Amino acid sequence: MVLQARNKHREAAPKPPQTPRASQSPLRGAPDVGRAPPSPGRKGAAARRGRPGGAPRGRLAARLRGALGLRRAGRGRTWTTLLLAAFAAVLHWSHITHLFENDRHFSHLSTLEREMAFRTEMGLYYSYFKTIVEAPSFLNGVWMIMNDKLTEYPLVINTLKRFNLYPEVILASWYRIYTKTMDLIGIQTKICWMVTRGEGLSPIESCEGLGDPACFYVAVIFILNGLMMALFFIYGTYLSGSRLGGLVTVLCFFFNHGECTRVMWTPPLRESFSYPFLVLQMLLVTHILRATKLYRGSLIALCISNVFFMLPWQFAQFVLLTQIASLFAVYVVGYIDICKLRKIIYMHMISLALCFVLMFGNSMLLTSYYASSLVIIWGILAMKPHFLKINVSELSLWVIQGCFWLFGTVILKYLTSKIFGITDDAHIGNLLTSKFFSYKDFDTLLYTCAAEFDFMEKETPLRYTKTLLLPVVLVVFIAIVRKIISDMWGVLAKQQTHVRKHQFDHGELVYHALQLLAYTALGILIMRLKLFLTPHMCVMASLICSRQLFGWLFCKVHPGAVVFAILAAMSIQGSANLQTQWNIVGEFSNLPQEELIEWIKYSTKPDAVFAGAMPTMASVKLSALRPIVNHPHYEDAGLRARTKIVYSMYSRKAAEEVKQELIKLKVNYYILEESWCVRRSKPGCSMPEIWDVEDPANAGKTPLCNLLVKDSKPYFITVFQNSVYKVLEVVKE
């Protein structure tokens, strides 16, 4: 703890090696309490024969068993754990594949319908995969997305830098290798047939198999998220010290599947590629916190998992910020030593630097709160000797370090943003401000009016309670808090600064409790982020099997009886939730958009520039291959300014004023959707109402979109119209 002798700041004298104690915590993978210790008179065969390689191999096997949280019970138990993890992976892969096919009937859709099924951001991301796949060569395709002039016409942008497209680059390379290899061998990779759609619709060709780009793309995503479930099983097993803990984690995930993930409905989103690596990363952090000796391999694996988590998703930096903050708090109160935290910080810094290079110098990474926090914590660790000399109480010292981190991070973030002139992430601060105050602006309202960016639904905690996930996690959390309070009392009240008790070595429990609080705060503020909270709750639930926390209970009742009783109660609502998912049966169809895309492809020039609602623009770029001026990736300040101009069509401004702004963007056609003019998710959230906040001078006038729906002249000409879309040609002067 910080109790490590502040007033006796000196290096401890070397101590002779101690004999390991058989009563070590089961969380460390030590022998069970009560197991007979090995006979001191017996030695292994390698030792008897003097084999030089015997000891290292024994240590390697022990480390593998320890990494899985197993006792010293031989290779059989290790393989059993791995087989159970593999079974969980196959089960989850099958589950999400089945749900996706049931919802869309994806295997029977045409190429155009599959592309339209990837709505909003999904279509934008998939379009770059399609570009590389259809390019003359892989390198030519990568060059095309790095010099893209279709996405934000007339600008030429590096989309690999802007949109975190490494997953698409990697998958496209795999697809090209796969198809060329299969063609070389002579193996058929897809089967095509004609599908009759009825109701006067023309038949379509539908292809199924990994040789179809869309099927390959989705299949790889589902395989990755199947493997994620194997990680969850290993994670729960390692954290709890029991395979029952792994079982609890997996079943809790399935019972609360709709609250844990949305990969089965929206495969191409960034979280589908990124989140599995966060699970691996947190497992590695847990291992590092628990290990008595740090190995270089563990730290390198942590660095690599950080890179794979950050590269696909621009939001990853905010999640890692909560992790670093939690680890720093664990250090401040003394549950991990300075050496261990310093090494973790170094790995984060190295991974951040690697991502900065791989993202072609994306300055948002360097000006993030995450980067600022790493620098401030590194500075605090370097200043530890000075902190230890401060003549204040332990509690006061904790507060001083906490304030130093908080204010230092905010100030450094502000300074770096000013120095680099970065405003791309300013909307995040405005969004959080709007959660606590009455602040409103155009960009903030576009976020908060969407349900996924609103506060957590009131029904969500109720759903957690029905599956008993919330009650179980609360019991675990209270048990950890009781242990923390007991430890803190010994420090603050008794001032035991001359000794470090054994129970202070369980920093991984404190870290998970703090990470739970951080994810809870994120999930309450932004409903979409419960996708971090719910899986972490499932991991925390595994601790119901922990002897470290509930050994007093397991001395009286068999652990299996307790766990299976809890799982049986969970399964009542959990099985109902699964049945509800399995009963979702649909078939994708969007005839109005299909008509629009077909008209654009055959009735406009290849260089015709389009503007309109962000979700529609993604489909226009993907399927019609036409230049667009705005798109759904809203993380760039310049793009937000463009979208604001485009959305002025739904304001109360004069038609001539809006037309002039569109001409400056070189727009030829505007796709008007009347539904955007009238729909609203809640009071104050229709587009005209949002514009009233931004442009109060025109409040009270008739919205321009309503006028143009009736008559588009003289500033626009209607060139296409169906039940949903109206394409307006901008009249050039």
Side-chain angles (χ1 to χ4, degrees):
M1 306 236 7
V2 173
L3 55 82
Q4 295 165 348
R6 287 194 352 248
N7 51 354
K8 299 179 182 179
H9 183 58
R10 63 175 184 268
E11 293 293 327
K15 296 181 180 181
Q18 296 179 351
T19 304
R21 291 178 295 181
S23 59
Q24 270 189 313
S25 163
L27 285 177
R28 296 182 173 276
D32 284 329
V33 176
R35 179 176 293 177
S39 171
R42 297 185 60 188
K43 297 183 179 179
R48 291 196 305 269
R49 298 172 187 171
R51 188 179 68 201
R57 286 182 60 188
R59 286 197 296 269
L60 181 62
R63 283 173 59 192
L64 177 60
R65 287 192 295 269
L68 295 175
L70 301 175
R71 312 297 191 268
R72 296 177 58 87
R75 297 178 181 177
R77 302 194 68 176
T78 302
W79 282 108
T80 301
T81 300
L82 293 176
L83 287 174
L84 289 173
F87 177 73
V90 172
L91 203 62
H92 192 237
W93 167 80
S94 175
H95 180 63
I96 57 181
T97 302
H98 177 77
L99 292 179
F100 182 72
E101 175 63 20
N102 269 10
D103 180 54
R104 311 263 177 102
H105 212 192
F106 198 72
S107 62
H108 287 64
L109 299 181
S110 67
T111 299
L112 176 58
E113 288 175 321
R114 285 172 180 165
E115 291 177 352
M116 291 191 301
F118 295 144
R119 294 276 294 165
T120 65
E121 288 179 79
M122 296 187 289
L124 183 69
Y125 298 135
Y126 180 76
S127 70
Y128 302 109
F129 170 81
K130 177 182 176 182
T131 297
I132 301 176
V133 164
E134 296 181 352
S137 68
F138 171 73
L139 291 179
N140 182 261
V142 173
W143 185 90
M144 290 170 67
I145 69 170
M146 290 176 62
N147 298 271
D148 181 275
K149 59 182 180 181
L150 296 181
T151 307
E152 293 182 13
Y153 187 87
L155 303 179
V156 177
I157 62 174
N158 183 350
T159 58
L160 185 56
K161 173 183 178 180
R162 282 272 301 277
F163 303 147
N164 302 78
L165 296 178
Y166 274 98
E168 280 65 32
V169 173
I170 294 172
L171 263 62
S173 67
W174 290 355
Y175 175 82
R176 295 181 73 105
I177 293 171
Y178 169 76
T179 52
K180 287 183 179 180
T181 303
M182 294 298 104
D183 289 344
L184 189 64
I185 298 174
I187 298 178
Q188 187 177 9
T189 58
K190 63 180 179 180
I191 301 174
C192 300
W193 56 83
M194 298 301 293
V195 176
T196 302
R197 296 188 290 175
E199 299 181 6
L201 301 176
S202 59
I204 56 170
E205 182 183 62
S206 177
C207 298
E208 187 178 10
L210 293 180
D212 180 80
C215 292
F216 181 91
Y217 184 81
V218 170
V220 174
I221 295 172
F222 288 159
I223 290 172
L224 176 62
N225 282 265
L227 293 174
M228 178 187 71
M229 192 55 64
L231 287 174
F232 270 119
F233 181 83
I234 295 172
Y235 196 169
T237 298
Y238 182 62
L239 183 62
S240 65
S242 166
R243 284 197 292 266
L244 287 175
L247 178 65
V248 169
T249 297
V250 170
L251 288 181
C252 283
F253 195 101
F254 274 101
F255 291 159
N256 299 273
H257 198 269
E259 307 292 328
C260 286
T261 181
R262 52 180 183 171
V263 65
M264 58 283 188
W265 315 130
T266 56
L269 289 184
R270 301 299 83 185
E271 66 208 44
S272 302
F273 296 102
S274 186
Y275 186 73
F277 293 101
L278 176 64
V279 179
L280 174 61
Q281 194 262 6
M282 292 184 65
L283 173 58
L284 289 168
V285 168
T286 304
H287 172 64
I288 290 170
L289 291 177
R290 180 175 293 178
T292 54
K293 180 180 179 182
L294 281 182
Y295 292 94
R296 183 179 300 176
S298 300
L299 295 172
I300 293 174
L302 175 65
C303 181
I304 294 173
S305 62
N306 271 358
V307 171
F308 277 86
F309 174 52
M310 281 192 283
L311 272 185
W313 199 10
Q314 68 275 10
F315 188 78
Q317 54 180 292
F318 297 101
V319 178
L320 292 178
L321 171 65
T322 68
Q323 181 180 97
I324 289 299
S326 300
L327 289 172
F328 179 66
V330 173
Y331 157 76
V332 166
V333 296
Y335 279 91
I336 55 175
D337 61 78
I338 186 172
C339 180
K340 187 173 288 187
L341 180 61
R342 183 180 284 121
K343 289 181 179 180
I344 293 174
I345 294 297
Y346 286 159
M347 291 304 103
H348 276 270
M349 286 180 166
I350 293 171
S351 60
L352 181 63
L354 288 173
C355 287
F356 177 74
V357 173
L358 292 172
M359 293 295 290
F360 304 92
N362 190 328
S363 52
M364 275 188 65
L365 292 174
L366 294 187
T367 61
S368 64
Y369 285 103
Y370 169 54
S372 300
S373 180
L374 288 174
V375 173
I376 294 299
I377 293 175
W378 174 81
I380 293 174
L381 298 183
M383 294 172 60
K384 180 181 179 181
H386 301 286
F387 281 114
L388 294 176
K389 293 176 183 178
I390 301 175
N391 188 24
V392 294
S393 66
E394 294 290 338
L395 181 59
S396 299
L397 187 62
W398 298 348
V399 174
I400 290 172
Q401 293 182 89
C403 291
F404 196 96
W405 168 79
L406 177 61
F407 293 110
T409 299
V410 173
I411 293 171
L412 184 58
K413 154 67 178 171
Y414 175 79
L415 292 176
T416 53
S417 296
K418 286 295 182 182
I419 292 171
F420 288 95
I422 299 300
T423 58
D424 292 338
D425 57 352
H427 64 298
I428 300 295
N430 293 339
L431 177 60
L432 293 177
T433 301
S434 70
K435 296 289 184 178
F436 300 102
F437 306 101
S438 59
Y439 177 83
K440 293 180 182 179
D441 63 16
F442 183 83
D443 297 325
T444 300
L445 286 171
L446 283 185
Y447 275 107
T448 56
C449 286
E452 60 267 31
F453 287 97
D454 203 352
F455 288 101
M456 179 187 286
E457 296 172 315
K458 296 179 181 178
E459 293 79 10
T460 299
L462 180 61
R463 289 194 286 266
Y464 291 154
T465 303
K466 287 182 178 179
T467 59
L468 297 186
L469 178 62
L470 182 59
V472 169
V473 171
L474 284 177
V475 169
V476 170
F477 184 77
I478 291 171
I480 295 175
V481 170
R482 285 186 60 187
K483 176 171 283 294
I484 294 173
I485 292 175
S486 174
D487 293 343
M488 294 302 98
W489 180 259
V491 177
L492 300 176
K494 302 177 184 178
Q495 292 295 312
Q496 296 174 342
T497 58
H498 62 284
V499 65
R500 184 175 187 184
K501 296 190 294 182
H502 179 68
Q503 58 261 42
F504 288 113
D505 292 334
H506 305 304
E508 73 276 7
L509 295 181
V510 184
Y511 160 67
H512 279 83
L514 292 174
Q515 190 69 74
L516 177 66
L517 293 177
Y519 285 159
T520 301
L522 291 178
I524 291 174
L525 290 175
I526 301 175
M527 186 186 71
R528 178 180 180 179
L529 301 185
K530 70 181 179 181
L531 299 177
F532 293 107
L533 170 62
T534 316
H536 191 69
M537 292 174 69
C538 297
V539 172
M540 290 288 288
S542 70
L543 288 171
I544 200 71
C545 308
S546 169
R547 291 185 179 274
Q548 176 63 25
L549 294 177
F550 301 102
W552 57 271
L553 176 62
F554 296 153
C555 290
K556 303 174 183 177
V557 184
H558 192 279
V562 175
V563 172
F564 284 110
I566 293 173
L567 291 178
M570 285 182 167
S571 67
I572 297 173
Q573 182 61 41
S575 59
N577 291 346
L578 287 172
Q579 192 62 51
T580 300
Q581 284 192 322
W582 294 333
N583 289 339
I584 297 175
V585 179
E587 185 171 356
F588 178 83
S589 178
N590 191 344
L591 185 58
Q593 189 174 93
E594 184 177 341
E595 293 173 346
L596 171 68
I597 298 297
E598 294 290 349
W599 180 86
I600 292 174
K601 290 168 67 175
Y602 297 111
S603 302
T604 64
K605 297 178 181 179
D607 60 350
V609 182
F610 283 80
M614 290 185 284
T616 306
M617 288 302 97
S619 296
V620 169
K621 181 195 176 299
L622 168 61
S623 301
L625 302 178
R626 295 300 190 268
I628 58 176
V629 299
N630 64 311
H631 54 78
H633 197 278
Y634 211 58
E635 309 306 317
D636 179 74
L639 188 276
R640 291 197 293 272
R642 282 169 160 257
T643 300
K644 192 172 179 180
I645 293 173
V646 171
Y647 279 20
S648 63
M649 189 68 81
Y650 300 99
S651 71
R652 305 178 195 271
K653 296 176 182 282
E656 183 177 9
E657 180 184 352
V658 172
K659 180 192 122 173
Q660 294 301 328
E661 293 297 322
L662 293 175
I663 289 176
K664 291 179 182 179
L665 292 177
K666 303 185 183 301
V667 174
N668 300 122
Y669 298 95
Y670 191 100
I671 301 177
L672 183 68
E673 300 175 49
E674 184 180 4
S675 61
W676 278 65
C677 207
V678 296
R679 71 180 184 185
R680 63 176 184 170
S681 56
K682 58 184 178 181
C685 280
S686 69
M687 285 304 301
E689 289 174 319
I690 292 175
W691 269 105
D692 287 343
V693 174
E694 187 69 24
D695 182 27
N698 287 311
K701 296 180 180 179
T702 303
L704 176 59
C705 51
N706 287 345
L707 298 176
L708 294 177
V709 166
K710 297 176 182 177
D711 185 11
S712 60
K713 296 179 180 179
Y715 302 106
F716 303 93
I717 300 175
T718 302
V719 292
F720 172 84
Q721 186 172 0
N722 63 17
S723 59
V724 175
Y725 303 99
K726 185 172 186 175
V727 180
L728 307 177
E729 183 178 1
V730 180
V731 177
K732 306 293 184 180
E733 295 180 353

